[in-house]
């Protein structure tokens, strides 16, 4: 059930605002995919942390190329393949997740192309981080200086698009060991390791300030209507078939075996 809480400003395109705290990332991605493809409204979805460490890969991502699959299997870390492109991230309670779902004509001057959407989002978050660090949009990443703290992905369909971001307010260093150094990386990364390449937003801005300033920046461009949303009801009371899915243990085992032929006979030691 979707319950409107208040009316937004008159004269600006309407944007529904939904805020969660700690919902599973698989649920959030299912909701985003469904709203992109079945709704005709604009949406801003903010999830303040997700409930458990989870790896999320882009639509065309291959575990053997992007993950230390043996470690992922050993530690039973869930792996999701999402409906958008982009890179691979590991999210947990220290990640703030923001999705913007818009109709083609919702933002004046923004065309349904990746570069145009990224340019607009960079300006939106420039407002959020005004006076905070050396914020920049660099090669599709949000950075302070040359340290990444926000990873982006998009999906564009005929009349609508989504731009969603995982913001590293905090992270567990040990979780980064599940991710391989990608073969395709932005030039400014300069072959740096994960720990040399990323930073924690908590060193720059309080968590609540970031979320409040993000809402304010959206309010400057949209007539924002906060909603209460029963996510289980929305996702399950529909015939929509989601493409975002959890990879099976068997899929991960096959990927691991294909890249570690000398270890095929070893026990995976996974309960």
């Amino acid at each position: 059930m979707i319950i409107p809480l208040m009316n937004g400003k008159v004269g600006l395109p309407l944007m529904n605002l939904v805020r969660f705290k700690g919902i599973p990332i698989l649920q959030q991605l299912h909701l985003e995919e469904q709203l992109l493809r079945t709704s005709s409204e604009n949406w801003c979805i903010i999830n303040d942390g997700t409930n458990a460490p989870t790896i999320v890969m882009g639509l065309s991502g291959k575990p053997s190329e992007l993950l230390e699959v043996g470690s992922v299997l050993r530690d039973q870390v869930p792996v999701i393949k999402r409906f958008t492109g982009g890179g691979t991230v590991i999210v947990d309670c220290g990640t703030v997740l923001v999705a913007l779902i818009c109709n083609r004509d919702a933002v004046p001057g923004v065309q349904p192309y990746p570069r145009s959407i990224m340019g607009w989002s960079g300006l939106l978050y420039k407002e959020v981080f005004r006076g905070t660090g050396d914020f920049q949009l660099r090669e599709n990443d949000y950075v302070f200086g040359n340290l990444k703290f926000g990873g982006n992905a998009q999906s564009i369909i005929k009349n609508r698009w989504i731009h969603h971001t995982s913001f590293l307010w905090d992270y567990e260093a040990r979780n980064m060991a599940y991710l391989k150094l990608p073969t395709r990386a932005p030039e400014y990364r300069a072959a740096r390791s994960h720990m040399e390449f990323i930073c924690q937003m908590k060193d720059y801005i309080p968590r609540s300030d970031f979320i409040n300033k993000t809402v304010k920046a959206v309010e400057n461009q949209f007539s924002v209507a906060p909603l209460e949303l029963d996510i289980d009801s929305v996702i399950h009371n529909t015939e929509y078939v989601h493409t975002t899915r959890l990879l099976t243990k068997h899929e991960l085992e096959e990927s691991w075996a294909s890249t570690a032929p000398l270890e095929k006979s070893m026990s995976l030691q996974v309960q």
Side-chain angles (χ1 to χ4, degrees):
M1 180 181 295
I2 300 175
I3 306 173
L5 294 182
M6 60 180 289
N7 293 323
K9 301 174 185 176
V10 177
L12 294 174
L14 179 66
M15 170 76 80
N16 297 315
L17 171 65
V18 183
R19 295 177 63 166
F20 299 109
K21 186 173 179 64
I23 64 167
I25 185 61
L26 183 60
Q27 273 194 312
Q28 180 179 349
L29 289 167
H30 279 170
L31 176 65
E32 292 175 9
E33 180 181 356
Q34 188 169 323
L35 291 176
L36 173 69
R37 297 190 177 277
T38 66
S39 172
S40 60
E41 299 178 277
N42 303 309
W43 297 85
C44 175
I45 301 170
I46 301 175
N47 185 15
D48 186 6
T50 189
N51 64 334
T54 305
I55 294 168
V56 184
M57 303 173 57
L59 184 64
S60 60
K62 297 180 180 179
S64 60
E65 296 177 358
L66 299 168
L67 307 179
E68 298 292 351
V69 183
S71 298
V72 170
L73 281 164
R74 181 195 64 213
D75 297 339
Q76 302 183 58
V77 182
V79 179
I80 293 170
K81 182 167 286 193
R82 64 177 181 264
F83 68 101
T84 57
T88 301
V89 295
I90 182 163
V91 298
D92 58 19
C93 61
T95 313
V96 180
L97 301 131
V98 181
L100 297 162
I101 304 171
C102 293
N103 288 318
R104 181 186 183 121
D105 58 354
V107 186
V110 175
Q111 299 299 313
Y113 301 105
R115 182 171 295 182
S116 181
I117 296 168
M118 280 299 315
W120 170 76
S121 75
L123 293 175
L124 181 81
Y125 285 109
K126 185 176 182 179
E127 181 178 341
V128 173
F129 294 110
R130 183 174 290 117
T132 302
D134 178 20
F135 172 78
Q136 300 177 57
L137 169 63
R138 297 192 67 175
E139 299 182 61
N140 300 329
D141 295 336
Y142 300 141
V143 303
F144 290 130
N146 68 344
L147 297 176
K148 177 179 177 178
F149 66 88
N152 301 290
Q154 299 175 354
S155 179
I156 302 170
I157 60 176
K158 183 178 179 181
N159 293 312
R160 289 166 65 73
W161 52 262
I162 181 173
H163 173 85
H164 54 188
T165 308
S166 58
F167 289 97
L168 293 175
W169 188 81
D170 195 6
Y171 59 83
E172 293 286 345
R174 65 177 180 272
N175 287 341
M176 297 301 161
Y178 295 121
L179 309 180
K180 288 183 177 179
L181 191 67
T183 55
R184 296 180 61 185
E187 185 176 346
Y188 81 95
R189 180 166 185 159
R192 287 178 288 168
S193 70
H194 293 301
M195 299 308 299
E196 295 172 321
F197 179 53
I198 61 178
C199 66
Q200 298 165 311
M201 287 173 62
K202 70 178 184 179
D203 295 332
Y204 297 84
I205 186 172
R207 190 166 181 153
S208 59
D209 285 2
F210 164 66
I211 293 173
N212 292 335
K213 288 182 177 182
T214 297
V215 172
K216 180 62 176 176
V218 173
E219 287 176 339
N220 289 338
Q221 299 195 37
F222 295 90
S223 174
V224 173
L227 304 178
E228 292 284 354
L229 188 150
D230 183 341
I231 191 169
D232 288 323
S233 176
V234 173
I235 292 174
H236 296 301
N237 294 345
T238 179
E239 296 181 355
Y240 180 77
V241 179
H242 301 92
T243 59
T244 298
R245 66 184 184 88
L246 193 67
L247 296 187
T248 66
K249 175 185 172 184
H250 178 68
E251 287 176 297
L252 293 172
E253 287 175 343
E254 285 193 329
S255 177
W256 181 66
S258 70
T259 58
L262 297 179
E263 301 178 55
K264 284 183 180 180
S265 61
M266 296 176 59
S267 170
L268 294 174
Q269 299 180 344
V270 177
Q271 298 179 352

